[in-house]
Amino acid sequence: MGDRKTKKARLDETSVAEKVAEESETHTHNRTPEELVHHDAGEFKGMKRHHTTAEQAQKLETGKINPFTGRNYTDKYFGIYEVRKNLPVHAQRQEFLDIFHSTQIMVFVGETGSGKTTQIPQFVLYDEMPHLEGKQVACTQPRRVAAMSVAARVADEMDVELGDEVGYSVRFEHKSGPKTVLKYMTDGMLLREAMDDHELSRYSCIILDEAHERTLATDILMGLVKQVAQRRPDLKIIVMSATLDAEKFQSYFGLNDKPTPLLAVPGRTHPVEIYYTPEFQRDYLDSAIRTVLQIHATEDEGDILVFLTGEDEIEDACRKIDLEANQLVREQGCGPLKVYPLYGSLPPYMQQKIFEPAPEPYKPGGRPGRKVIVSTNIAETSLTIDGVVYVVDPGFSKQKVYNPRIRVESLLVSPISKASAQQRAGRAGRTRPGKCFRLYTEEAFNKELIDQSYPEILRSNLSSTVLELKKLGIDDLVHFDFMDPPAPETMMRALEELNYLQCLSDEGDLTALGRLASNFPLDPMLAVMLIGSPAFGCSEEVLTVVAALSVPQFFVRPVSARKAADEAKMRFAHPDGDHLTFINVYYEFDQGEAQQVGQHQWCRDNFLNYRSLQSARNVRQQLRRLMERYDLELNSIPFDDPNYSSSIRQALVAGMFMQVAKKKSGSTKSYLTVKDNQEVLIHPSTVLDTSNKHTGEWVLYNEFVLTSKNYIRTVTSVDPKWLVKLAPKYFDLSHFSKGDVKLSLARVWDRYQDN
């Protein structure tokens, strides 16, 4: 008996990893992870978590058997392992584990390229073996591209199938299963999980990566996990950031005025020379293209990374660089140049192309080829692309800006912050000394750029956020522990909007409709519209509209064929507006003409974005499944039904009644937004004939675009009687100030009440 006790005590001191390492050395045949670790289940009961050393974990990684699958490691695994162990984070693995074991929340700062996103979750896995307790490790990313590509990389590194032991979860796309132990996900997806499981009970450790980006979802998550950590002392939290804004995270997560521990790991960076332009550049896109071609013609080998602001700009630049590069090759005998776009809505197989090697020289000993990646700020921190030696930084990015006074949220091209500029420059020094070409003056950098970007929570419409917080059981929004509290006016606007949508009661409590709407990964307006659509007999059609509004634009308008593209668009045009036009396009793509000629060819012939239509189909299927899950009727209205257009448009009004504009009296082109009296024009891309008074007097719109003028885009004409019938509370005349809109609404109310 005494011997058994001694053996038991000794096992208690042995780590799980050490035990598995011993097992993996002596057993080469297939064993499940449970068999490997629970070799003697009785002996392992009562074992303490978190006692692995770096040496023990590495012993396990270099053994013969994969502890997560029970199968032998492959040769490919050992090849990748040799690369992994040279990453900077591996040098501080023991230091990381010491802090991880001694505290519940830690902050980890690693420069881009240090290996933090791929390695730290694996350090946690090999330490905790969470699958043996039926738990998972979550690692959040601000961007879906990063979540998907990093999950694929880590699956390779761990010698497992993507979707099995390592998976990902992003909006409208999931690849994980019952075996998943490590899940990469967007921060928004973890928030959605928290709505159903307030304690996040399936996770033993939550890693918030790229926290410095301060997206809306990250800020809410930080407040949320801070609360959950107090209720769940067994939950470990790691906050990872790429910039040294770490003190703020340390003090925010600290307890009793004591900051939470910090571990900083340097990146593997080489010196980067910075070049500024001598004078202001009038056209940064043209300047960026010229700089790329100049680098290709005059600089040594090495790939080029260019930062631009959005999909259209990137695709345009890729086309122009491609054309000009061919001319360079002919005139100056330069090496081959491959150009790759990179942005969030690009499909995964296209995103992966950025990791392909640079093209070979045209002839042995000839000038080397290089690749050019033209990217949004995704490539700033979320993704690391080896081989980049030259960075071209025009100094702009697209940022969301919200004005609560006029209820307008817009994506505006804005100057980046100094911190972003430093991050961009750092991308050039990953593999050898590099060069960063800033297309602005040094004076502009020093005097005009702010130090850090403002967190998204300070410049966003918070209606979705408030609905999420209410569903998470957080009623006291005023005292919720935000790292940077939003303006009270923005919060009041959000509460008011949700009250008009009947998602919140007059007392501010979540209604049954609000609870249901929060289950849809959509803006509350679109969710309410979808939930209400069966009452109008057209839920299938509204599903199509919502899917179309959730993906990039269907229509393509290349510079070289604008007239042909406009003519093609008018073939699908519905006289009542853009939302019904989307239904026409989607129907032809999914069931109509495209089936005969092939969808790819049909999209090319009709100037349509095949990827957007495919994404819309995917989104539509998932939303349809959600409707089925919540017993919402799926019905459809025949195209030849005389009420086809009016039924669909009424269903749209039921959700989007706050986004309505009325033609300004005496004007042929100008409109006034209802409630806020903003003078706007209808965007030229609309199919609506606004010169016809019958079709264009009152319209609802999907977005407000601030460019040189104020435009409303994606527009459909509506009957004002529907407004007062479907949203009487919002269109109560006592809420309107004197003026054109109030007079017109008074006449509408009179006609409606007479009927």
Side-chain angles (χ1 to χ4, degrees), residues 139-152:
C139 182
T140 68
Q141 297 290 322
R143 295 188 177 85
R144 52 186 290 143
V145 179
M148 292 154 78
S149 62
V150 173

Side-chain angles (χ1 to χ4, degrees), residues 620-631:
R620 192 182 184 285
Q621 285 167 349
Q622 296 200 42
L623 291 174
R624 199 173 191 276
R625 284 199 290 273
L626 276 174
M627 290 186 78
E628 286 168 346
R629 186 190 304 171
Y630 297 111
D631 295 326

Side-chain angles (χ1 to χ4, degrees), residues 9-19 22 44 47-48 51 56:
R10 201 166 54 244
L11 269 165
D12 279 350
E13 291 162 9
T14 309
S15 77
V16 175
E18 191 171 26
K19 181 68 183 164
E22 287 168 11
F44 276 86
M47 267 192 52
K48 299 180 184 72
H51 284 294
Q56 288 164 350

Side-chain angles (χ1 to χ4, degrees), residues 11 14 47 73 75 80 85 133 209 280 327 356 359 366 373 393 412 461 471 478 529 575 593 610 678 705:
L11 269 165
T14 309
M47 267 192 52
Y73 283 124
D75 291 341
I80 296 175
K85 71 180 187 186
E133 297 172 13
D209 195 9
F280 168 74
Q327 198 174 338
E356 290 177 3
I373 296 114
D393 173 19
L412 293 182
N461 178 352
K471 182 76 188 287
V478 175
M529 183 168 97
E593 190 185 344
Y610 172 77
Q678 288 290 302
V705 185

Side-chain angles (χ1 to χ4, degrees), residues 633-663:
E633 188 186 348
L634 288 159
N635 48 28
S636 179
I637 186 165
F639 188 72
D640 52 8
D641 187 307
N643 295 320
Y644 171 82
S645 174
S646 65
S647 296
I648 295 169
R649 287 184 293 144
Q650 283 186 74
L652 298 179
V653 166
M656 296 173 73
F657 54 83
M658 284 180 271
Q659 297 197 166
V660 172
K662 182 208 167 285
K663 192 170 272 186

Side-chain angles (χ1 to χ4, degrees), residues 341-354:
L342 178 62
Y343 45 85
S345 56
L346 204 61
Y349 77 93
M350 298 271 295
Q351 290 164 12
Q352 289 307 314
K353 287 186 173 182
I354 64 167

Side-chain angles (χ1 to χ4, degrees), residues 31 37 308 454:
R31 301 275 296 275
V37 178
L308 291 176
Y454 294 110

